Amino acid sequence: MATTRTARSHLRRTAWAAACAALLTSGVAACTPDRPEPRPAAEALAAALASGDFADVPLDAGAPAPAELATRRAAVVAGLGETATATVEVGDITTADDDETATAALDVTWDVPWTDTDWTWTADARLARDDEDAWTVAWSPGLLAPGLTDTEVLRAERTAAPRGDVLGAGDAVIVTPRDVERFGIDKTRVPPDQQDAAARALAAALGTDADAYAQRVAGAGEKAFVEAITLRVEDASVDKMALRALPGVVAVPDRVPLAPTRTFARPVLGAVGPATAEVVEASEGAVAAGDLAGLSGLQRQYDERLRGTPGVTVSAVPAEGVDSSTVRLLFRTEPVAGEPLRTTIDPALQEHAEGILAGVAPASAIVAVRPSTGDVVVAASGAGGEGMSTATLGQYAPGSTFKVVSALAYLRGGLTPASAVTCPPTISVDGRTFGNFPGYPAAALGDVPFRTAFAHSCNTAFIGSRDLADSGALADAARSLGLDPAAELGFPAFLGAVPDESSGTGHAASVIGQGQVLASPLGMATVAASVAAGAVVVPRLVVDPEPGGDPAAEPSPDTAGSTADAAADTAATVQPAAAAGPATPLTGDEAAALQDLMRAVVTEGGATLLADLPGEPVLAKTGTAQFGDDADLRNHAWMIAVQGDLAVAVFVGEGDYGSTTAGPLLRSFLAG
């Protein structure tokens, strides 16, 4: 009759005791048994549970084969995601009094996706000696997850975190979840042979690409909903009842982060939508397909801050083909809401500016900055910019608005507002003739005070005075007024660039804001703000950029680049000096003189249309910059102004003159 396990254990203990007694009788001082410990077997099991390779595990006779266990483990943990990894450490091992069985505590840690909190738990592994006195492991599905059965697998799911709002001046809410309806084709509501026609009918009603949408519908699953457009609940620009009446069309209610209007500061703020493959890849696992993510503008730059941290659950669920609905929750982390992003945008002023630009066809912008703080309260770009942030990233010749910079350089060269300068009808530099704008007043020609030449924007007087300030002095004056090409502002922006090495016709063009001089509307608003503040102003749009966000991040497609007009303004990209050093600080006397000059533009020069505005006195400077070739010269129209604690720049990419095209827009803005 076969010997039982208990009997074998008794015989081994008896034999060992007898042998030990004999050794003691013969004079040996001690008797130490050479029996294996359970820890190596437990460590082999721990390594296998972490890696999925059970080849080196000393499994007992009743356990599945190592290859079968590897397959089983892979099926169980697949639902945790490809990036999930496990570590298993052997803790305390308790051996039974008879030294024949043991229990090993295995400390399991799973690094599951989407959360920094690990899933940790302890598995109890059972071990026993075999006939050869070696330790073996008893298999249990509970070694893979607490209480797991052979009919269960694991599934990890994420719960989206509430996205942080984008706030404006005074913490006014700008971007926040708002009610929308997602219109599209529900393929379960239209027969397969009619789905192509249904898709094309919906696309035609929306004025979108019918071929592209029909292809998307055809490629989706047989029960899919294929979205065509998302509309705000209050949006009356589309006949929603007519859409609903189309075959297969349904409207799915939802809430998504949106600004007050479809166009509100969109080139700057950007958009939120389903994460693209590019966004998912760049997030290194933090964003999954289907998540809402920032796609452009500040929403993308500060997406890490705004999106928060999703909640994660790990559950034991029935394996495929198992007839059960039981789901056991094993692990949970709660979602952590995203942090708000505070900006300086004033919602009322921004909407006011966008309303003024609504009827302007070319690229256009209105920027308003508080001289006292540098806060950018308006960064409005017109529709003519085709999604580009003309306000903050446009690169254009600033024309005569740049004479504020040249005037500072000339003040430092010895002029005063009362100094006499000569304003002839034309002036020649190295064979190139420069003139004043058509219709320049004859009364302001000849020998006139510098204040008069500035007020009427006499090109020839500024070019004739160019020896008072070389290109280096001009570049320094620009940086003294905030036109710094190397400024780091915490958001994608271009302020301006001035060549620090130019001569002849190049320098002559620079002093009147043409040639290689470039500026954005934000940059020229900063110049006006610096004059008003009496010190260099650094524009601020994002109040608290940390944590999250990369101020040096590449602008997204909605906010990047400059227009073809900008390329025509300059023959080469202007690079800042390699070691320019700090700009010369603006003095109180210099600021007062510039304020006097800019006030004269309103009282006697090209901006008299602003003279009767109520409130504090207005300071201003007009600007017109030519671009294009000689056969097709066109004008950028500019005007900058200061009233109280508001410095404003208005730009129109193609117009008549600063005073006639940009001026009325600026008056409307200040009057409002």
Side-chain angles (χ1 to χ4, degrees):
M1 185 169 61
T3 304
T4 66
R5 179 184 183 87
T6 302
R8 288 197 304 270
S9 299
H10 175 72
L11 289 173
R12 282 198 301 270
R13 289 196 302 273
T14 301
W16 172 78
C20 195
L23 289 171
L24 290 171
T25 302
S26 64
V28 177
C31 182
T32 302
D34 188 15
R35 306 188 74 196
E37 295 293 326
R39 183 167 292 275
E43 289 177 344
L45 174 62
L49 292 174
S51 69
D53 183 358
F54 290 83
D56 295 331
V57 180
L59 297 164
D60 68 12
E68 183 180 344
L69 288 181
T71 300
R72 170 66 177 151
R73 178 192 179 276
V76 166
V77 305
L80 299 181
E82 294 180 358
T83 61
T85 57
T87 57
V88 184
E89 301 290 338
V90 180
D92 293 336
I93 299 178
T94 304
T95 306
D97 291 341
D98 63 2
D99 199 34
E100 295 298 310
T101 62
T103 301
L106 305 182
D107 297 324
V108 183
T109 300
W110 272 99
D111 181 4
V112 294
W114 316 308
T115 177
D116 293 332
T117 302
D118 292 332
W119 174 33
T120 60
W121 55 284
T122 300
D124 289 332
R126 305 297 180 182
L127 298 93
R129 293 185 187 276
D130 63 10
D131 291 343
E132 304 299 325
D133 217 24
W135 288 99
T136 62
V137 172
W139 175 253
S140 166
L143 293 171
L144 296 176
L148 196 76
T149 70
D150 283 330
T151 61
E152 291 179 315
V153 294
L154 299 178
R155 182 177 66 199
E157 296 178 296
R158 59 192 282 135
T159 303
R163 191 172 179 86
D165 290 341
V166 177
L167 308 177
D171 279 355
V173 176
I174 295 177
V175 180
T176 195
R178 302 179 193 273
D179 292 329
V180 299
E181 292 176 296
R182 300 183 181 276
F183 284 82
I185 296 293
D186 181 346
K187 296 181 69 171
T188 66
R189 298 195 176 197
V190 61
D193 61 346
Q194 299 177 26
Q195 290 172 1
D196 182 78
R200 294 179 182 280
L202 176 56
L206 296 172
T208 58
D209 188 330
D211 288 340
Y213 183 59
Q215 289 176 5
R216 286 175 50 210
V217 171
E222 61 181 18
K223 297 182 179 180
F225 166 76
V226 186
E227 182 181 330
I229 194 171
T230 298
L231 297 172
R232 296 167 186 258
V233 168
E234 69 276 11
D235 190 343
S237 64
V238 176
D239 187 343
K240 296 178 183 177
M241 292 298 293
L243 295 182
R244 287 185 173 91
L246 294 172
V249 173
V250 297
V252 179
D254 200 356
R255 285 175 64 81
V256 297
L258 293 173
T261 67
R262 183 178 59 83
T263 59
F264 185 96
R266 184 181 178 92
V268 171
L269 298 179
V272 177
T276 63
E278 177 189 5
V279 170
V280 171
E281 181 179 359
S283 75
E284 297 182 345
V287 178
D291 284 359
L292 283 181
L295 303 179
S296 59
L298 295 180
Q299 288 283 2
R300 180 166 182 177
Q301 183 178 353
Y302 292 98
D303 187 60
E304 181 179 351
R305 173 197 186 96
L306 289 162
R307 69 177 177 242
T309 304
V312 177
T313 61
V314 176
S315 304
V317 301
E320 186 176 356
V322 175
D323 186 14
S324 173
S325 60
T326 301
V327 174
R328 295 187 300 111
L329 179 65
L330 302 178
F331 171 72
R332 179 201 298 273
T333 65
E334 297 298 328
V336 178
E339 296 185 53
L341 181 68
R342 288 178 167 81
T343 74
T344 58
I345 294 174
D346 184 305
L349 286 178
Q350 178 75 21
E351 289 198 61
H352 175 50
E354 290 181 358
I356 292 171
L357 296 179
V360 179
S364 59
I366 296 177
V367 176
V369 176
R370 298 283 185 201
S372 60
T373 61
D375 287 356
V376 180
V377 294
V378 172
S381 299
E386 298 181 346
M388 171 189 150
S389 181
T390 305
T392 60
L393 287 165
Q395 299 183 26
Y396 305 94
S400 292
T401 58
F402 187 75
K403 287 174 182 169
V404 176
V405 172
S406 301
L408 173 59
Y410 291 168
L411 292 173
R412 290 173 174 175
L415 286 185
T416 70
S419 297
V421 295
T422 300
C423 177
T426 62
I427 188 171
S428 180
V429 178
D430 293 343
R432 177 180 173 182
T433 299
F434 295 85
N436 297 315
F437 65 87
Y440 185 89
L445 292 171
D447 293 336
V448 296
F450 184 45
R451 179 186 294 104
T452 299
F454 186 92
H456 292 281
S457 204
C458 179
N459 288 338
T460 58
F462 270 79
I463 292 172
S465 303
R466 66 190 181 280
D467 289 342
L468 293 173
D470 62 15
S471 57
L474 196 64
D476 181 61
R479 290 187 294 117
S480 297
L481 293 174
L483 212 58
D484 185 351
E488 295 183 1
L489 305 178
F491 63 98
F494 170 83
L495 295 179
V498 180
D500 61 355
E501 292 185 7
S502 64
S503 59
T505 58
H507 186 48
S510 291
V511 299
I512 60 173
Q514 299 206 160
Q516 289 187 315
V517 176
L518 295 174
S520 68
L522 173 65
M524 294 315 300
T526 300
V527 168
S530 297
V531 171
V536 64
V537 169
V538 178
R540 180 178 74 155
L541 179 63
V542 178
V543 176
D544 49 355
E546 298 298 335
D550 178 7
E554 287 295 320
S556 58
D558 276 11
T559 60
S562 60
T563 65
D565 289 348
D569 287 335
T570 178
T573 302
V574 179
Q575 298 293 335
T584 304
L586 187 66
T587 68
D589 287 345
E590 289 169 348
L594 292 175
Q595 292 165 11
D596 175 40
L597 293 172
M598 290 181 69
R599 179 58 180 165
V601 178
V602 177
T603 58
E604 62 181 273
T608 54
L609 79 166
L610 306 178
D612 63 347
L613 283 173
E616 298 184 51
V618 179
L619 318 178
K621 183 67 189 81
T622 58
T624 304
Q626 291 184 325
F627 69 96
D629 55 39
D630 291 341
D632 184 29
L633 282 177
R634 289 169 285 168
N635 293 335
H636 296 319
W638 292 83
M639 186 175 283
I640 61 175
V642 174
Q643 185 176 36
D645 194 29
L646 202 63
V648 185
V650 175
F651 167 79
V652 178
E654 187 173 340
D656 292 327
Y657 303 104
S659 58
T660 58
T661 299
L665 303 179
L666 194 148
R667 177 182 172 85
S668 295
F669 179 76
L670 292 179

